[in-house]
Amino acid sequence: MRSLKLLALLFAKEWRELMASRAYWLLVVFIGPLVGNSFITAVNLFAEASGIGGGAAALAQGLTPLDGILVPTWGAYDLAVTLLFPFVAIRLISAEKESGAWKLALQLPAELATTITAKVLALVVGWAIVWLPGLIAVGMWKAYGGHIYWPEALNLLLGHWLRMLLSAGVAMAAAALTESAASAAIVTLSFTLGTWALDFIATGRGGLLAEVAAFTPTAALRWFEQGLLRLSTFLVMLVLALAGFALAAIWLHAGRKLSQRWLQTVGLAFVVAVVVWLGSLARASWDTSENRRNSFPRADEMALRQIHDPLRITINLAPEDPRLMDYERNILNKLKRLLPNLTSDFAAQSRTGLFETGGAEGEHYGEIWYEMGGRRVMNRSTTEPIVLEQLYELAGVAAPAKTDEPEFSGYPLAAHPKAARLLFYAFWPLIACVAWWLARKF
């Protein structure tokens, strides 16, 4: 009970400091127009695809609110959490370190973990307020008559929430490791750029590099944007965020010697590496999308689950070849959810495939080899029914009879973003500025 009271007191202190933070209020002011612009653009594009103004409508099956409205609207939060939110998190620690208030805070009768927890809770509650424009956009879409499939919507919000926690962990660790807010900002942005580079380099490549790159913040959020909840992604993002908070606690303990901090840092890195590795092995995943874009037809899934032999797929397609993107999205990622003994290799040597015209590798460009139980077959198709038929033949499994599963009909909607400009470009900044003024006054 005493520790809870201390946590409540420290949270109140951190909350007051957050309310006094100029960086936080600037984030609150600008997030409205940022989300509003994304939402208005998404609604207009969705309306055009739905045939507004008498134009030809696109295929209705392709008009999903997840892709057309939710992902682009909440994409503004990915930008904010990458470029704006870290400065808010850094300030909570760097300001106290630079002013000397942190040494006074250590004299309080609270554990260091309680102090760090209070800071994290203040950031979490503050970020909930930043989410209001996004939630308002979802409400406006419903008011326009739009459809929301809540499992995929909540899964997307979970991904953005984990993305925020990871960003907070990195920023707080950087603030604890460095002596100034400017240095912490450089470290945080360097981490972000490094993950972007790793994600770019690993695109279309197999092996350890691709396995690691699948857990960079951008790549991890991509799974949630596709309506897929992977247990491994959830665990790794959560563990890395907690590791950032733990690293901050180690380096903010002013009473420890430098050698002790480094020893604890090495121990933490070892524990995190083991836990992340174990978490990455989790195979469970759930397709939360309404159109089951991450799943094969149910009859095919039952047939594929009968395959227990290891399957190796060697793909000779370049990372920027559209056929590889289709193959990964429509076939490979679905197979990985069903076949635990599946390994994939990427044989192409160039990024575009345009220059793989000479030599033996160039002659085999476009080939996809399937190997199981000592048998190898080659197929160039990236079409789902053809590939599945090839796999059934290779594994000696009877192909399922065709069933009449209901097709996803899509949700076309030719709506105008009524009142959105006024709300996001005028009302929200005005309300945020008034709240900022009140917070500073009281």
Side-chain angles (χ1 to χ4, degrees), residues 87-147:
F87 295 97
V88 179
I90 287 171
R91 185 194 175 279
L92 278 186
I93 291 179
S94 293
E96 291 186 345
K97 288 179 66 177
E98 293 175 1
S99 67
W102 177 250
K103 293 181 180 178
L104 294 176
L106 291 177
Q107 307 304 315
L108 297 174
E111 298 286 341
L112 183 57
T114 306
T115 305
I116 296 295
T117 302
K119 291 181 179 296
V120 174
L121 287 177
L123 286 173
V124 168
V125 176
W127 187 248
I129 294 175
V130 175
W131 263 21
L132 288 178
L135 298 176
I136 291 172
V138 174
M140 294 182 74
W141 174 248
K142 288 287 290 181
Y144 297 156
H147 172 78

Side-chain angles (χ1 to χ4, degrees), residues 322-340:
R323 290 176 294 174
L324 178 61
M325 301 175 195
D326 291 340
Y327 186 80
E328 284 189 302
R329 185 188 308 114
N330 299 324
I331 297 173
L332 187 59
N333 291 337
K334 296 178 182 178
L335 286 175
K336 287 181 177 178
R337 297 187 58 224
L338 296 171
L339 305 179

Side-chain angles (χ1 to χ4, degrees), residues 347-372:
Q349 300 299 315
S350 65
R351 292 201 63 83
T352 64
L354 297 175
F355 303 102
E356 298 204 28
T357 55
E361 295 298 329
E363 295 175 1
H364 296 292
Y365 184 76
E367 295 180 350
I368 302 175
W369 285 88
Y370 302 88
E371 183 176 358
M372 180 187 297

Side-chain angles (χ1 to χ4, degrees), residues 399-419:
K402 290 186 178 179
T403 58
D404 295 327
E405 288 191 15
E407 291 188 1
F408 178 70
S409 58
Y411 295 95
L413 178 65
H416 294 282
K418 297 176 184 175

